[in-house]
Amino acid sequence: WGAGMGSYAIDRKVIPGNPSADDALWDTVSTDLQRQYQQQWHGGHIGIECTSIDSGYATHAVYAFARRCAGQINVRAIKGDNNPKSPIKMTATSQDVNWRGQKWPNGIKLWGVGTQASEDLLHGQLGLDKPGPGFIHVANGLPQEWYAQLTGKKRVPVRSKTGIVDRWVRMRPRVEVRDCRRYAHHAAMCLGL
């Protein structure tokens, strides 16, 4: 993330495995989150300062990982909130952790993410055609699938309890790149950028 919340997509890594059953997977994630990236313009290195991990799947495994990382790396467990009035960075709540027979009452902070607000912001940023505030810079050589996943949702009217409302819906089966973008934006906001 840079000035004016311009962003740079520099890497994407998929770590296959079962997050609920494979503890070694979380060691790989921890190591990967501590990587340093060399900056070409001066040769220095920069690391990942904050990470937001979705807890909607393998909830207690994510909670346990975030709890274990406390003091080592800045990891936040997050949960999406589809209310269109919710801000991107919501207030954290305390959650119990129950993992592998261990229980920690109020063991983790769970951060809410206003998904509709985040999707709206991303849509606006994708419409920018020249570098400046909010512009999304991408690395050379990203596969076509990366772009398809980034743009894989569309705002459409849907029926709700209160009438017709606009919602972001998937237009393709996989949109992990878009989800990761939202999580990275949440992490940037948690850092105060």
Side-chain angles (χ1 to χ4, degrees), residues 42-77:
H42 66 64
H45 290 82
I46 190 168
I48 299 170
E49 291 186 45
C50 185
T51 302
S52 295
I53 299 181
D54 186 11
S55 66
Y57 175 77
T59 302
H60 284 277
V62 172
Y63 289 177
F65 177 69
R67 187 176 195 281
R68 185 183 77 174
C69 289
Q72 297 172 335
I73 54 179
N74 191 357
V75 173
R76 296 169 192 261

Side-chain angles (χ1 to χ4, degrees), residues 1-189:
W1 297 92
M5 290 301 287
S7 61
Y8 298 80
I10 58 171
D11 193 13
R12 177 174 187 246
K13 183 173 185 179
V14 176
I15 303 171
N18 182 341
S20 294
D22 186 359
D23 289 339
L25 172 81
W26 292 107
D27 292 335
T28 302
V29 172
S30 179
T31 299
D32 206 56
L33 290 176
Q34 296 176 62
R35 269 189 312 176
Q36 295 286 309
Y37 295 89
Q38 185 172 8
Q39 294 182 300
Q40 289 185 355
W41 66 280
H42 66 64
H45 290 82
I46 190 168
I48 299 170
E49 291 186 45
C50 185
T51 302
S52 295
I53 299 181
D54 186 11
S55 66
Y57 175 77
T59 302
H60 284 277
V62 172
Y63 289 177
F65 177 69
R67 187 176 195 281
R68 185 183 77 174
C69 289
Q72 297 172 335
I73 54 179
N74 191 357
V75 173
R76 296 169 192 261
I78 61 171
K79 178 86 171 129
D81 183 324
N82 212 21
N83 183 336
K85 295 181 181 179
S86 295
I88 296 170
K89 179 186 166 197
M90 298 171 62
T91 305
T93 59
S94 293
Q95 300 292 312
D96 296 342
V97 179
N98 186 355
W99 182 244
R100 303 272 195 250
Q102 303 246 348
K103 293 182 182 179
W104 299 284
N106 299 313
I108 190 78
K109 294 284 186 197
L110 177 64
W111 293 82
V113 178
T115 56
Q116 295 297 308
S118 182
E119 292 285 2
D120 289 343
L121 179 63
L122 175 58
H123 179 72
Q125 290 172 327
L126 288 171
L128 298 174
D129 58 0
K130 50 186 157 182
F135 187 78
I136 301 171
H137 303 263
V138 295
N140 292 330
L142 290 170
Q144 187 63 34
E145 177 66 13
W146 188 91
Y147 294 99
Q149 287 190 26
L150 182 66
T151 58
K153 285 189 175 182
K154 184 177 180 181
R155 191 172 182 100
V156 298
V158 297
R159 187 172 307 278
S160 75
K161 294 177 185 177
T162 59
I164 302 296
V165 294
D166 285 342
R167 295 274 192 234
W168 287 95
V169 297
R170 291 175 184 236
M171 303 309 289
R172 59 186 326 275
R174 300 187 68 114
V175 291
E176 288 89 356
V177 169
R178 190 177 185 101
D179 292 342
C180 288
R181 164 81 191 176
R182 282 199 333 266
Y183 307 158
H185 187 243
H186 177 266
M189 291 185 79

